[in-house]
Amino acid sequence: MKIIIVGCGNVGAALAEQLSSEGHDITVIDTREQLVESVSVSCDALGIVGNGASFNVQSEAGVEEADLIVAVTGSDELNLLCCLIARKSGGCHTIARVSNPVYSQEIAFIKEELGLSMIINPQLAAAREMARMLKFPFATKVDTFAKSRVELVVYRIEEGSPLNNMKLRDMPGKLRSDVLIPVVERGEQVIIPDGNFELKEKDDITIVGSQLKTIEFFKRLGKPTAAARDVIIIGGGRTTIYLAKQLIQMGLKVKIIEHDSKRCEVLSDMLPKAMIICADATDKDVLLEEGLVETEAFVANTNFDEENIMLALFAKSLSKAKLITRVHRIAYDNIIEKLDLGSIIYPKYITAVNIIKYVRAMKNSEGSNIETLYRLNDNRVEALEFQIRKNSPVVGIPLADLQLKKNMIIGCITHKGQTAIAKGQSVIKAGDTVILITTQKGLHDLRDALE
């Protein structure tokens, strides 16, 4: 597919890299020549310096032949204008980044009136992921499938855990659990294990199961299954506003520390049920006075990666709180992962994955359609949810008889609202949703998983 990306910032660069790796023809547009050159060289893309909202610039980029234009500049209004011009001049699919909370109640109207294919909001997406993590404070990542009926939880096996030295085939009997562990990350290895695989301390395991079964599983491990009751959030940006609103609805006590007094006034108006502290959170005495040691959750959510990392490390040294650290740049992600900063949020990755899901759905065959897509284990694993149609080649065949490619496993099947872990005798029916976990990227259809 021919795809034009307007904006070469963090989100645009990550998107260009991942779409290019899937074989798409990418053109990037930005007014900043240095960024255009950097992205175009690293992604083998055509780079154009100019205003993406200009008809002449879009024409130079080939908008009339493009399948999709994605506008992800830092200006919501510019993104919407880019898409509007592209729709009028080329008739292609359009995706706009719109992140200002002022527009949050008008997204459906804007999308319909401007004829947009999709609106993305990196800050809202990041906030939703943070909120999911606070539901399971012991997990490093939480995703949901099948309209939130299925949980995908990443958990690091701790010292003394009943899982240590346990073979997967023995887990259902010993723990009386009905969940699946489809992925294990051990050091630099990412493994899709079989029943003989033996779990070890410090393994990062991915657990897939219904909400109820997942909670039962962690109860048997002796882990707390209740959400955090209170949280300290550092930084008062857009992501914090979206996050605080969700957490307040969940019943959490929310305390926000922001150093800018004018921003604190805005936060007080928008979040009357949150406690707003106007202070410098890099002052350790401020954190101690505001209850760092006692809090159950701590979110480092400023616009500066270095500040977030240092705040998280300080919180870790004094508190047992659930840590969430937001990181914008991905150049040093391997080093950051080793610092054990709790759950690390990369907004650009979240946004890129949502767009990639849409792009793959555009190319899907008639047999199934991608409903949900998540990337795990530093983007080395994909978990996809497919909606199965009646003419799919997998319908009516027991899973034991399906010839799946290497490093692929079907995790759950949801049939008429009921979710079950996939077993050899399970049969997929038309209308079901199926969760596939794989280390192979680029699947558009469930039939792509078959030999």
Side-chain angles (χ1 to χ4, degrees):
M1 293 175 60
K2 180 174 177 54
I3 300 172
I4 299 172
I5 300 173
V6 182
C8 290
N10 290 327
V11 173
L15 184 59
E17 177 186 357
Q18 296 188 41
L19 287 173
S20 177
S21 70
E22 295 196 7
H24 298 287
D25 180 6
I26 305 299
T27 300
V28 295
I29 302 173
D30 200 295
T31 56
R32 296 164 291 185
E33 183 175 358
Q34 185 175 359
L35 285 181
V36 171
E37 182 178 351
S38 174
V39 174
S40 61
V41 169
S42 63
C43 302
D44 191 24
L46 174 64
I48 295 176
V49 179
N51 186 339
S54 163
F55 170 74
N56 291 332
V57 171
Q58 288 195 14
S59 296
E60 184 182 352
V63 69
E64 292 182 359
E65 298 82 32
D67 298 292
L68 172 67
I69 187 167
V70 184
V72 287
T73 75
S75 167
D76 294 348
E77 293 76 15
L78 179 60
N79 293 335
L80 293 171
L81 182 58
C82 287
C83 290
L84 182 60
I85 291 173
R87 283 282 297 166
K88 297 296 183 182
S89 58
C92 60
H93 292 258
T94 54
I95 297 177
R97 169 182 175 172
V98 179
S99 56
N100 194 329
V102 171
Y103 299 128
S104 61
Q105 303 299 320
E106 305 166 359
I107 291 299
F109 173 81
I110 292 171
K111 180 181 176 183
E112 181 177 353
E113 291 300 312
L114 297 186
L116 301 175
S117 305
M118 181 181 182
I119 289 179
I120 55 169
N121 186 333
Q123 286 86 353
L124 177 58
R128 285 174 174 166
E129 183 153 337
M130 292 177 185
R132 285 199 300 268
M133 291 174 182
L134 292 176
K135 290 181 180 179
F136 287 94
F138 51 84
T140 58
K141 185 174 180 62
V142 179
D143 292 316
T144 60
F145 295 92
K147 299 178 180 178
S148 298
R149 296 188 189 96
V150 178
E151 303 278 6
L152 186 153
V153 180
V154 179
Y155 167 68
R156 176 164 292 178
I157 298 177
E158 301 167 323
E159 182 180 354
S161 170
L163 294 174
N164 193 24
N165 299 322
M166 183 183 294
K167 290 186 176 181
L168 289 182
R169 68 185 179 193
D170 299 329
M171 193 176 70
K174 291 184 176 180
L175 293 179
R176 291 174 291 129
S177 62
D178 189 22
V179 297
L180 179 71
I181 297 181
V183 183
V184 177
E185 182 173 356
R186 180 175 292 171
E188 298 298 320
Q189 288 184 293
V190 174
I191 305 158
I192 293 185
D194 59 18
N196 292 317
F197 186 87
E198 190 173 275
L199 300 172
K200 297 292 184 182
E201 180 184 313
K202 295 184 180 180
D203 283 351
D204 286 313
I205 61 174
T206 299
I207 300 108
V208 176
S210 67
Q211 285 187 337
L212 179 60
K213 297 298 183 183
T214 302
I215 290 172
E216 289 177 354
F217 173 76
F218 282 108
K219 281 183 177 178
R220 292 193 173 104
L221 291 182
K223 306 303 298 182
T225 55
R229 291 173 293 184
D230 63 281
V231 59
I232 295 176
I233 306 174
I234 310 301
R238 291 177 178 177
T239 306
T240 289
I241 293 173
Y242 287 124
L243 175 60
K245 287 182 177 179
Q246 293 180 65
L247 298 183
I248 290 169
Q249 288 181 346
M250 290 166 54
L252 275 72
K253 295 180 180 178
V254 176
K255 182 180 292 185
I256 300 169
I257 303 178
E258 164 61 44
H259 67 88
D260 186 290
S261 59
K262 291 184 179 179
R263 187 62 184 170
C264 287
E265 292 177 7
V266 173
L267 293 171
S268 296
D269 290 339
M270 299 191 73
L271 301 167
K273 293 185 178 181
M275 180 180 293
I276 312 300
I277 307 297
C278 188
D280 183 2
T282 61
D283 183 342
K284 64 180 183 181
D285 291 332
V286 169
L287 294 177
L288 293 174
E289 288 173 7
E290 297 304 330
L292 172 63
V293 176
E294 297 82 17
T295 190
E296 294 190 359
F298 181 89
V299 181
N301 196 35
T302 77
N303 290 324
F304 302 99
D305 291 352
E306 296 82 2
E307 189 170 308
N308 289 339
I309 291 168
M310 293 304 298
L311 286 167
L313 288 172
F314 180 66
K316 178 185 173 185
S317 70
L318 294 178
S319 169
K320 293 183 179 180
K322 164 68 178 178
L323 298 179
I324 297 179
T325 309
R326 189 176 71 161
V327 177
H328 302 84
R329 297 191 299 273
I330 57 179
Y332 303 104
D333 55 348
N334 290 334
I335 297 173
I336 292 171
E337 295 286 347
K338 294 177 182 177
L339 294 177
D340 193 15
L341 300 174
S343 298
I344 301 174
I345 299 291
Y346 296 99
K348 61 185 69 62
Y349 276 155
I350 301 170
T351 304
V353 166
N354 287 335
I355 296 173
I356 288 168
K357 180 187 73 173
Y358 180 83
V359 170
R360 291 192 194 172
M362 287 174 63
K363 294 183 65 178
N364 76 309
S365 66
E366 297 180 354
S368 61
N369 188 41
I370 296 176
E371 296 286 308
T372 313
L373 166 65
Y374 293 113
R375 284 186 168 167
L376 316 168
N377 305 91
D378 301 328
N379 281 347
R380 289 180 286 176
V381 175
E382 287 189 349
L384 304 103
E385 180 181 9
F386 291 98
Q387 177 80 37
I388 306 301
R389 296 173 181 163
K390 62 182 180 180
N391 55 343
S392 172
V394 303
V395 169
I397 302 174
L399 295 190
D401 296 334
L402 287 180
Q403 300 297 314
L404 294 179
K405 293 177 181 176
K406 188 178 179 182
N407 292 327
M408 295 191 181
I409 185 171
I410 292 178
C412 287
I413 300 173
T414 299
H415 177 70
K416 294 184 178 179
Q418 299 298 314
T419 299
I421 295 296
K423 296 180 171 59
Q425 68 272 23
S426 301
V427 176
I428 300 173
K429 298 178 181 179
D432 289 353
T433 59
V434 172
I435 298 172
L436 177 78
I437 296 99
T438 176
T439 55
Q440 295 190 30
K441 296 181 183 178
L443 273 68
H444 299 87
D445 187 287
L446 189 55
R447 73 178 66 196
D448 296 335
L450 302 179
E451 288 283 6

